[in-house]
Amino acid sequence: MNTDKEQQRHFETRAVHSGERRAKHEDKAANGQDAFYPVSTPIYASTTFSHSNIETTDRVLGGEEPGYSYARYDNPTVAAFERAIASLEGAQEARALAFGSGMAAMHAALAAAEVTVGATVLAAEQLYGSTATLLVQVFGAAGAEVRFVDAYNLEAVEKQVGELRPRAVVIESISNPLLRVADVPAIAEITRAAGSALIVDNTFGTPYLQRPLDLGADIVVHSATKYLSGHGDITAGVVVAGAPYDGAAEQVRKLVGGVIGPFEAWLAHRGLKTLPLRMARQCENAQEIASRLASHPKVKKVNHPSLKDHPDSEVAARVLSDAGGLVSFELTAEGRDAAFAFLNALELCVKAPSLGDVYTLAIHPATSSHREVSPSRRERLGVKENLIRLSVGIEHPEDLIFDLEQALDRI
Ligand SMILES: *Cc1c(COP(=O)(O)O)cnc(C)c1O
């Protein structure tokens, strides 16, 4: 929950200050010195928390009084990170809950939306592969009906939601690897009318580009492994939602135990402070790279929402504050060999999966993110063998372009 005064501050200011310095400290005046507050929330490496009397512990455990009792339920370092995320996702009535991974967060969001036996869940066919597999192998196996739709075709979404009346609809603000941009306000109108919960995975968007709760979504999920932490050094996830989903997701977290650890929460919170700076630079770099690649003779097609020929350039201008830090492109040369030759020729960009790091990362989607997808489905989704995806970092753009061009010269 955020205070009004805090929410009136700008995004950049909240990224730095939100969540900090609110934890209650008991070190006060032990040896006559004044009470003090650390500037950065400490890492509370403590499994349990004690109170001055057992009645307080009783009320905290009973949920009648706020406080910390046991680390699977709550922890001050985790709570500080959660307050910062809730502030950045901008939702007055919403709470953030941090998890040990993006997948644990997505699982809790789906369970909180009561995707259970007899319920239907409608999901974007472009979803992150593990999310689609989670739906089928965990929720589907437990009796939920799992259906897929092209989430970037509004008519198809409207038709399917009308017919299926799903309990929940799961989409991504920006898809991988073609970077399609969802019309979240329009989809939210459709799901609201049908009484379906709209779950938006905002990992690629981040609250810097879009705040889906403000656009009508019910639950936001992040893999904080990516942009939110931003340095490629932790695995983490977040759910942001208002009632009743926040309480339900918290209960799932308590029982399943997918809570983030205090060390990871601290690193994620530290990374979050520079999210606006990183995103601004990454968006700028990505746009420059996209426009330079678009005119390169060895590049056939570039996907970036800033480009006029992107199918969602109009939607992107309406629902995103900038065009994002990911770029994908098809080489003029066909086939996997050309893509591998290009990747092997890179000297600065790091060949590694994941995204959203300060380093520029390059991957071959057909053999990484879409490895488990059948070749025919890959073809339909536009994930060709000569497609490369870049997660653009914060380096100097000329060094990145130099590296990409020298690698293109060598294929
Ligand atoms: C990485 C990712 C996930 C899964 O997150 P983990 O932190 O790896 O569990 C979910 N959705 C999207 C869009 C992702 O990129």
Side-chain angles (χ1 to χ4, degrees):
M1 220 72 75
N2 311 303
T3 62
D4 288 345
K5 191 171 163 194
E6 182 176 333
Q7 281 314 99
Q8 281 161 11
R9 296 188 178 129
H10 292 89
F11 188 86
E12 291 78 357
T13 308
R14 284 182 277 130
V16 173
H17 288 279
S18 292
E20 293 287 12
R21 290 182 292 286
R22 297 246 205 93
K24 195 169 165 189
H25 292 278
E26 304 292 351
D27 309 339
K28 174 168 58 170
N31 50 6
Q33 71 185 13
D34 213 359
F36 64 90
Y37 296 89
V39 173
S40 159
T41 302
I43 300 170
Y44 283 85
S46 183
T47 312
T48 44
F49 299 90
S50 172
H51 306 101
S52 56
N53 57 66
I54 195 69
E55 286 80 9
T56 304
T57 307
D58 179 36
R59 287 192 300 276
V60 168
L61 281 171
E64 297 150 37
E65 188 176 314
Y68 303 102
S69 55
Y70 185 58
R72 176 155 48 78
Y73 297 179
D74 211 348
N75 171 289
T77 314
V78 173
F81 170 55
E82 291 173 339
R83 278 199 300 273
I85 292 284
S87 170
L88 295 188
E89 280 289 354
Q92 285 285 344
E93 305 302 327
R95 254 195 324 157
L97 293 155
F99 290 80
S101 71
M103 292 313 300
M106 180 56 86
H107 167 268
L110 289 161
E114 295 183 0
V115 174
T116 176
V117 61
T120 301
V121 54
L122 181 65
E125 63 185 8
Q126 295 86 352
L127 278 188
Y128 181 74
S130 296
T131 307
T133 310
L134 170 76
L135 281 167
V136 173
Q137 292 189 6
V138 176
F139 289 90
E145 169 87 13
V146 184
R147 303 287 285 270
F148 291 94
V149 66
D150 177 359
Y152 305 92
N153 176 344
L154 260 190
E155 278 151 44
V157 172
E158 186 156 28
K159 184 162 174 286
Q160 293 268 63
V161 171
E163 278 171 16
L164 298 169
R165 303 252 147 200
R167 180 89 34 99
V169 174
V170 189
I171 63 169
E172 289 169 351
S173 46
I174 304 175
S175 79
N176 181 45
L178 300 189
L179 312 174
R180 298 295 308 267
V181 181
D183 193 339
V184 176
I187 295 174
E189 213 170 289
I190 294 168
T191 54
R192 180 136 308 164
S196 311
L198 178 60
I199 302 174
V200 178
D201 182 333
N202 195 27
T203 300
F204 278 40
T206 83
Y208 179 82
L209 294 182
Q210 180 186 93
R211 291 175 286 282
L213 296 175
D214 289 345
L215 302 179
D218 297 292
I219 306 178
V220 169
V221 174
H222 281 279
S223 167
T225 311
K226 319 289 170 54
Y227 284 107
L228 296 185
S229 61
H231 296 70
D233 49 13
I234 60 159
T235 305
V238 185
V239 170
V240 196
Y245 304 112
D246 58 337
E250 183 175 30
Q251 185 67 357
V252 173
R253 189 179 68 175
K254 278 185 178 176
L255 297 175
V256 177
V259 70
I260 192 172
F263 290 93
E264 281 76 11
W266 189 85
L267 277 171
H269 196 175
R270 176 186 165 118
L272 193 66
K273 293 175 194 304
T274 54
L275 175 73
L277 289 174
R278 287 184 280 111
M279 283 299 285
R281 178 59 170 260
Q282 284 162 325
C283 290
E284 205 178 300
N285 281 357
Q287 189 161 339
E288 180 66 20
I289 287 170
S291 85
R292 295 273 278 271
L293 288 176
S295 59
H296 196 285
K298 289 194 174 172
V299 174
K300 188 164 145 196
K301 182 170 186 290
V302 181
N303 305 303
H304 190 251
S306 69
L307 298 172
K308 290 274 170 295
D309 67 351
H310 188 282
D312 307 313
S313 64
E314 178 272 327
V315 177
R318 199 155 41 75
V319 305
L320 302 177
S321 66
D322 205 333
L326 290 141
V327 177
S328 64
F329 59 97
E330 276 171 40
L331 299 168
T332 309
E334 299 281 338
R336 184 174 295 190
D337 291 352
F340 276 23
F342 170 79
L343 287 165
N344 280 328
L346 290 170
E347 291 174 355
L348 175 65
C349 301
V350 183
K351 295 181 285 296
S354 197
L355 62 117
D357 294 353
V358 289
Y359 323 95
T360 294
L361 305 172
I363 61 153
H364 182 237
T367 53
S368 55
S369 59
H370 288 67
R371 190 181 187 90
E372 308 298 331
V373 175
S374 70
S376 63
R377 183 138 185 272
R378 272 208 298 270
E379 186 67 30
R380 198 156 57 77
L381 291 172
V383 183
K384 302 204 174 134
E385 287 289 340
N386 59 351
L387 185 77
I388 305 288
R389 191 200 74 193
L390 299 175
S391 168
V392 179
I394 62 168
E395 302 93 332
H396 195 288
E398 290 306 327
D399 290 332
L400 295 172
I401 290 163
F402 181 85
D403 190 36
L404 295 167
E405 287 179 347
Q406 66 80 26
L408 286 167
D409 283 347
R410 284 158 63 186
I411 59 167

